[in-house]
Amino acid sequence: MNIIYLIDCQVFLQKLSKGDVGFEKLLLLSTGGTVASLEGENGLVPGMEPDQLLSYIPDLNEHCQIDSKSLMNLDSTNMQPECWIEMAKAIEEHYNEYDGFVITHGTDTMAYTSAALSYMLQHSKKPIAITGSQIPISFSKTDAKRNIADAIRFACEDTGGVYVVFDGRVIQGTRAIKLRTKSYDAFESINYPYVASIHDNAVEYTKPIHSSKEELTVNTSLCTDVAVVKLFPGIKPEFFDGLKDVYQGVVVESYGSGGIPFQVRNILAKLVELTHHGVSVVITTQCLEEGEDMGIYEVGRMINHDSVVRSKNMNTEAIVPKLMWVLGQTKDPHQVKKMMETSIAEDIN
């Protein structure tokens, strides 16, 4: 069911007074999550439609039109790469009809989705704001109303790209992680400043954001044959033998600044075998902040840097969909490395 809501966006009051803008249109796409959950027999389960979500937001009026559409109604634990594709295609389909987009989503995999959409929807001149909540919108005490209102507010901005909007913070889509399971401030921006903050319906930027001069490019080709391996003391080298014929790419969460053990249990040798087998290996770190720097210690220098992808300071939630997207374009490890490291350099600037 598609329904139109009208909501106050103060920025447009200012623009209207100057004659700078007409009637803005937004599209809200709902996918489920805690924000849309109701009590079920086995606990909370997504069950609300987007028109129900919007009915909880106060102070509706005539300055911003919102159309709504339900894409799916999933707990984000059940979110899959195929769902990312559906979201990207929905935005592509309606891109020319709207000035901005809001996606309501569960928090558990929101960071993966925001990164994936950043790669599949490149050069968007319009804001795509992803939000959700820690507590359902139907509960008397909830963060959902503020988060949706803030996302709508940010989607009214004259900017482009994919962002997570949560607890008054705007985070670049490739930099978000869920750090807390219950608190309202669940998300943090990793190795990158917050894009903006939202208070009392006002958006305050940390630095100017300029929309892309290029036209929207949509590429939803993905290869999901990607594994993530977190190293731990005692992990058996033989574990990696089972990855060779199953995965096209492996993300290794190494120790510290990029350490790979090579004594007693020689993991380094197994990563070399994977690369020789044609598997693309990405090295990241288990540390959330400051990223890998494999040139410092012997345990980082021992691996052939020409055969693996270095992730710099990207977080795993961004690396995984990035690797899926790159493998969707090519399986050649040399091309994968080139595309990954080129785009990583762009992402960290």
Side-chain angles (χ1 to χ4, degrees), residues 155-261:
C156 294
E157 289 291 284
D158 184 18
T159 188
V162 179
Y163 304 90
V164 168
V165 179
F166 213 92
D167 193 46
R169 300 166 177 172
V170 181
I171 303 172
Q172 184 172 307
T174 57
R175 291 295 177 173
I177 69 161
K178 185 179 180 182
L179 193 62
R180 303 174 184 91
T181 60
K182 299 177 182 178
S183 303
Y184 285 177
D185 59 340
F187 286 86
E188 295 288 347
S189 182
I190 296 299
N191 297 316
Y192 198 82
Y194 294 117
V195 171
S197 59
I198 304 175
H199 301 285
D200 299 325
N201 207 31
V203 179
E204 299 178 4
Y205 289 90
T206 57
K207 63 179 182 179
I209 298 178
H210 304 288
S211 295
S212 174
K213 295 180 181 179
E214 300 181 47
E215 294 301 316
L216 175 70
T217 300
V218 182
N219 187 331
T220 59
S221 296
L222 298 176
C223 171
T224 62
D225 299 334
V226 171
V228 178
V229 180
K230 182 174 183 176
L231 298 186
F232 60 89
I235 186 172
K236 291 185 177 181
E238 294 79 10
F239 170 84
F240 292 86
D241 293 333
L243 305 179
K244 291 179 182 178
D245 298 316
V246 179
Y247 295 100
Q248 295 286 337
V250 175
V251 180
V252 179
E253 292 190 342
S254 65
Y255 301 121
S257 59
I260 305 294

Side-chain angles (χ1 to χ4, degrees), residues 223 280 323 325-336 339:
C223 171
S280 295
L323 185 54
W325 184 83
V326 171
L327 287 169
Q329 320 310 310
T330 178
K331 302 297 191 300
D332 183 322
H334 297 290
Q335 290 300 313
V336 170
M339 290 182 67

